[in-house]
Amino acid sequence: MKKQKIIAIVGSIRQNSLNLQLAKEAGRLIGEQADFELLEFTDVPFFNQDIEYPAPDSVTRVRNKVKEADAIWFFCPEYNHSFPGVLKNLIDWLSRPISENEPQVLKGKPAAVSGISLGMSGGVVAQDSLVSLISMLNMKIMNQPRLSIPNAWQQTDTDGKLILTDSLSHLEKQVKAFLCFIV
Ligand code: FNR
């Protein structure tokens, strides 16, 4: 059977992002069970209809990555009870048809959503907004299980390194469920 390809989209572009570390941990747990790649999108410009066609090279590159993937896994921080603007900007680009004959690339793609935040809610409010957006774009969302890890400081060391304790088993469950969901 062909190995499934999962693209991870992390909604934080900071170097020591907890969500990036969570994504890497998911990738480690997936191991050889699927291909797992972090989407690099810091070079994608602000969306602007004036530069939409022809698409900038960076946009073509991320679109191709998403198009070729079997599934997308979002790792979503919470900013002010919503998801970060960098993620909305990327999704706005991905939501647009490539051309008159080629639809947008998110349609029908299986998606998982996870996140870790400093607050008590674990970023679930941001996740709900994200789910609402990607469901509008006809992604095929795995609604259960989702993973929202609150109080991140309880599972990080003094350097901000993520050391999953209580949440590790939940991430393991989500990995297992998503691998089943996407076959
Ligand atoms: C936050 N943070 C935050 N946390 C939370 O639980 N709920 C919230 O609404 C917010 N709002 C918020 C706004 C802004 C502008 C920032 C910069 C931060 C804290 C947030 O959870 C924390 O900074 C995380 O570490 C961000 O994720 P990454 O970058 O570590 O992946």
Side-chain angles (χ1 to χ4, degrees):
M1 199 167 65
K2 178 186 155 275
K3 229 185 213 184
Q4 301 291 92
K5 173 145 201 160
I6 300 170
I7 292 286
I9 298 181
V10 179
S12 168
I13 57 173
R14 78 180 180 99
Q15 220 176 348
N16 294 327
S17 159
L18 294 168
N19 286 278
L20 174 62
Q21 296 182 63
L22 184 65
K24 287 179 176 169
E25 187 62 13
R28 189 187 67 77
L29 292 171
I30 288 170
E32 293 302 308
Q33 300 175 86
D35 287 329
F36 184 85
E37 186 182 332
L38 296 162
L39 185 70
E40 171 56 53
F41 63 92
T42 48
D43 54 347
V44 170
F46 285 140
F47 181 80
N48 177 346
Q49 283 186 276
D50 291 341
I51 60 165
E52 191 175 2
Y53 300 108
D57 290 348
S58 56
V59 172
T60 303
R61 184 182 55 77
V62 294
R63 274 187 179 142
N64 286 339
K65 289 277 181 197
V66 170
K67 204 169 148 184
E68 288 160 13
D70 298 296
I72 308 294
W73 193 336
F74 292 94
F75 293 85
C76 182
E78 182 163 277
Y79 281 4
N80 301 314
H81 284 188
S82 189
F83 53 87
V86 289
L87 182 55
K88 179 66 162 57
N89 186 61
L90 175 67
I91 293 174
D92 283 342
W93 275 110
L94 296 174
S95 73
R96 302 287 285 174
I98 299 175
S99 68
E100 273 179 28
N101 308 317
E102 293 171 279
Q104 56 100 340
V105 292
L106 294 172
K107 188 177 172 194
K109 290 275 174 203
V113 178
S114 306
I116 178 165
S117 85
L118 288 178
M120 282 167 56
S121 73
V124 77
V125 183
Q127 285 188 20
D128 285 345
S129 305
L130 177 63
V131 165
S132 163
L133 171 62
I134 62 178
S135 93
M136 194 271 285
L137 295 171
N138 274 334
M139 293 195 83
K140 187 182 158 207
I141 303 159
M142 183 177 79
N143 286 303
Q144 290 292 338
R146 258 161 57 182
L147 178 62
S148 46
I149 303 177
N151 303 322
W153 50 272
Q154 291 178 340
Q155 296 184 77
T156 48
D157 69 11
T158 46
D159 295 325
K161 185 174 182 291
L162 184 66
I163 301 164
L164 288 182
T165 51
D166 296 354
S167 303
L168 184 60
S169 61
H170 296 288
L171 182 62
E172 284 168 347
K173 277 185 199 143
Q174 201 185 20
V175 164
K176 205 170 163 195
F178 199 39
L179 290 173
C180 291
F181 188 76
I182 66 180
V183 285

